[in-house]
Amino acid sequence: MSSSYGKRVTRYGLGVRREEHIIQESVTRPIVHLIGGPPGAGKTTLGIALASRLGCSSLTIDDLRTAILGIAGPEFLPELRVIGMPDAATYFTQTQPDTMIAHALAQHSALWPAVERVVKKRIRNGLQAVLDGWHLMPGLVARANLERTCAVWIDVDEEVLRDRERSVWEFYATSRDPEQMFERFLARSLMWNDRMRSAATEFGFHLVRQDGSRSVSDLVDEVLGLPSGAGSCDL
C-alpha cells in the first residue's frame, strides 16, 4: 500500500538550528491486477500482455463462471445462466439493452464472491496474478477492501467498440436479424462502459483510456506505473 511518513531531522548551519520534515514514501507493488471494462474493450488482451510482462498467470473471470456452471445444477445461482439463453443469437437479438444490463448486474454480483475468494487467496499467498473480466464492478471491488491490488477499468471509445464488433460479424450472422443483434449487443456494451466509467470515477479507481490510437504495450506501461493501496488507482 502506498504510504508516507514524516521524520523530523535537526540540522545545524551558520549557527542556526533548523528542523525539517523529511518525507519518505514507500510504494508496495501490487500482487494482483484487476482489469474491468465493457465487452470488446480489450481486457483479456491487456491482461495476457500484462501477465507476460510480470511473469505471472492470467485468468479471464468468465472461466470461473464456466467452471461453476460445469459442476452446479441449473437451480444453483440461476443469475449465472440467464445471459445468452436460450442461445446467444436469440438472446442478443430479442432482449432490450436495459434488460441485458439488469441481467449483467445480477450475474456479476452473484459471481463476485468466487472472484473475491481467488483474489484474496492470491494476496495471502503472495502469488502474482492478473484477472480480467467485464464482471468486475467498482463498487464490489471497493467494498472488498483488497490490499496489494491494483484495479483499473478500460474506458473505450464508441467507434473503437463498433469497429471491433464489426470485425467479428460471423458471431452476428447466426441471428435471423444480424443488424438488430449487432446494435443491441453494442448498445449494451456502451451502456456498460458508461456505468463503469462513472462508478470507477466515483470510487477513485484508475481509468485506462483507449481511443484506438494506443498500443497494448502502451496500456501495459500505464498499468505498471500504478501502485497498489488505497489511492487513485485502487482500494
Side-chain angles (χ1 to χ4, degrees), residues 93-150:
T93 303
Q94 298 183 359
T95 310
Q96 293 290 340
D98 56 348
T99 300
M100 295 184 200
I101 292 294
H103 290 166
L105 291 169
Q107 175 183 273
H108 302 348
S109 295
L111 188 60
W112 172 249
V115 178
E116 182 180 2
R117 190 179 184 92
V118 169
V119 172
K120 288 186 172 179
K121 183 176 181 179
R122 285 279 178 166
I123 295 170
R124 185 169 61 250
N125 293 335
L127 299 174
Q128 278 193 309
V130 179
L131 283 77
D132 74 84
W134 75 300
H135 316 78
L136 293 168
M137 297 194 291
L140 294 177
V141 176
R143 284 189 286 275
N145 195 30
L146 301 171
E147 296 182 353
R148 303 205 59 184
T149 301
C150 182

Side-chain angles (χ1 to χ4, degrees), residues 59-190:
L59 172 67
T60 296
I61 293 173
D62 198 51
D63 288 345
L64 287 177
R65 172 178 169 272
T66 300
I68 292 171
L69 295 181
I71 60 174
E75 71 286 347
F76 179 75
L77 294 179
E79 301 92 337
L80 299 184
R81 300 176 183 272
V82 66
I83 294 178
M85 295 294 288
D87 59 78
T90 301
Y91 178 84
F92 289 115
T93 303
Q94 298 183 359
T95 310
Q96 293 290 340
D98 56 348
T99 300
M100 295 184 200
I101 292 294
H103 290 166
L105 291 169
Q107 175 183 273
H108 302 348
S109 295
L111 188 60
W112 172 249
V115 178
E116 182 180 2
R117 190 179 184 92
V118 169
V119 172
K120 288 186 172 179
K121 183 176 181 179
R122 285 279 178 166
I123 295 170
R124 185 169 61 250
N125 293 335
L127 299 174
Q128 278 193 309
V130 179
L131 283 77
D132 74 84
W134 75 300
H135 316 78
L136 293 168
M137 297 194 291
L140 294 177
V141 176
R143 284 189 286 275
N145 195 30
L146 301 171
E147 296 182 353
R148 303 205 59 184
T149 301
C150 182
V152 302
W153 274 261
I154 300 177
D155 179 20
V156 60
D157 278 4
E158 177 176 348
E159 287 308 310
V160 174
L161 276 180
R162 184 175 292 274
D163 289 346
R164 288 179 178 179
E165 292 306 325
R166 286 284 183 190
S167 71
V168 291
W169 188 254
E170 62 272 15
F171 171 61
Y172 301 100
T174 60
S175 171
R176 293 183 177 181
D177 190 342
E179 196 63 39
Q180 177 166 294
M181 178 180 171
F182 173 83
E183 291 298 337
R184 288 189 171 180
F185 186 97
L186 181 64
R188 183 197 66 167
S189 295
L190 293 173

